[in-house]
Amino acid sequence: MAFWDSLWPRREAQFESGNAATNSIVLSKRHATVSLTKQGALTGNLRVNLSWRMRTSDIEGRSRQSGRLLRPFKLFQPDVVQAHTQGVVNVDLDLGCMYELKDGTKGVVQPLGNLIGDLNAPPYIRLSGDDRFGAPSGETVYVNLDQRDQIKRLLFFVYIYDQTPAFDRTHAKVTLYPGNGPRIEIELDERAPQARSCAVFTVENVKGELIVRREVKFVYGFQSELDRLYGWGMQWGRGYKSRA
């Protein structure tokens, strides 16, 4: 047990499983699963939100350790300007969801290709908007839990669209908001500077029980590599976004 945990014995348990003050459950490596069924989240829409911001401390650290040695004039440049010049607006994280229904239908809901899905018809999943600049509202995917019996499994993932890999320069979080019960939070807190995609979590229908499992597995390719990793077996091609 860590020194701080000895001072506050319940600190670790509260952080990992959530508490009344925040009404949230934080999934971690140690506590990676939660049952939506046991939380009473069986009806209405499950809202899955991706939000992110730049790791300004990391940018500042790299600037001090390397950039200032090569460019001494940066010693006199304000920190806020340095953070901006690291390409804050160039990071475009997207949220997507691969699905497999009980009848064998497979597909994906994502901004690429304008595959926004449908909430009231198969696949009972719909993407709402495409945040390209890390706005506070982020990106959101809805899942119709009233049709949960039609869903076999889901894989929610995040990828970087058409830009330099920068997971190490973003602080991203995916939050699940069930229609009932506490929200569920998953931090993309592992460093993978060259990764282009990340499998964040899965939802599986196990004998009628919906189980959420934290994954947070970074890969250096795109959707096709995630597909192979989780055995979806779909064919993939190059996708594009419409211009904003």
Side-chain angles (χ1 to χ4, degrees):
M1 180 179 292
F3 171 73
W4 294 112
D5 292 332
S6 66
L7 294 179
W8 293 284
R10 294 184 55 83
R11 175 178 175 271
E12 181 180 16
Q14 289 179 347
F15 177 77
E16 307 250 319
S17 61
N19 55 59
T22 60
N23 193 32
S24 65
I25 296 172
V26 178
L27 295 187
S28 65
K29 286 183 177 180
R30 183 173 178 180
H31 298 280
T33 64
V34 64
S35 170
L36 291 179
T37 303
K38 292 179 180 178
Q39 296 294 327
L42 294 177
T43 59
N45 294 329
L46 171 66
R47 180 163 59 96
V48 180
N49 177 260
L50 164 69
S51 60
W52 76 91
R53 67 179 188 273
M54 297 303 296
R55 293 181 185 270
T56 54
S57 61
D58 293 351
I59 296 171
E60 180 182 334
R62 284 200 305 274
S63 297
R64 287 178 176 176
Q65 293 175 12
S66 59
R68 292 183 176 184
L69 294 176
L70 298 175
R71 291 169 287 180
F73 68 90
K74 277 188 168 290
L75 288 168
F76 306 99
Q77 190 174 6
D79 285 346
V80 65
V81 176
Q82 291 175 26
H84 179 74
T85 58
Q86 293 296 319
V88 173
V89 297
N90 287 335
V91 180
D92 181 10
L93 299 184
D94 282 339
L95 177 66
C97 176
M98 294 185 201
Y99 61 84
E100 182 178 359
L101 304 182
K102 286 290 187 67
D103 64 3
T105 302
K106 298 178 182 180
V108 63
V109 171
Q110 62 179 17
L112 284 181
N114 198 33
L115 301 172
I116 62 174
D118 194 312
L119 200 57
N120 299 309
Y124 310 109
I125 305 164
R126 183 176 174 85
L127 171 69
S128 177
D130 174 20
D131 172 24
R132 303 190 184 187
F133 304 103
S137 59
E139 293 190 3
T140 301
V141 171
Y142 293 90
V143 180
N144 185 350
L145 293 184
D146 291 333
Q147 300 293 333
R148 62 188 179 279
D149 292 337
Q150 308 299 321
I151 297 172
K152 180 178 180 180
R153 59 173 178 158
L154 308 175
L155 169 62
F156 279 85
F157 60 93
V158 173
Y159 61 96
I160 296 176
Y161 173 74
D162 199 27
Q163 296 292 347
T164 302
F167 274 114
D168 65 325
R169 290 196 281 124
T170 59
H171 181 84
K173 178 171 68 174
V174 173
T175 306
L176 290 70
Y177 297 91
N180 185 51
R183 69 180 183 269
I184 301 166
E185 299 178 354
I186 303 173
E187 300 274 355
L188 277 62
D189 52 3
E190 298 176 19
R191 300 301 178 88
Q194 298 302 316
R196 302 303 300 259
S197 307
C198 177
V200 182
F201 71 94
T202 58
V203 180
E204 290 193 73
N205 191 331
V206 182
K207 297 181 179 179
E209 184 177 5
L210 292 182
I211 304 295
V212 175
R213 177 179 294 277
R214 176 190 183 273
E215 299 291 335
V216 190
K217 293 181 179 178
F218 290 91
V219 299
Y220 299 101
F222 293 96
Q223 289 88 328
S224 58
E225 189 168 343
L226 292 173
D227 182 308
R228 289 192 296 271
L229 185 63
Y230 288 89
W232 237 263
M234 295 189 292
Q235 298 294 321
W236 297 88
R238 178 73 175 174
Y240 299 92
K241 289 185 183 182
S242 59
R243 294 186 178 274

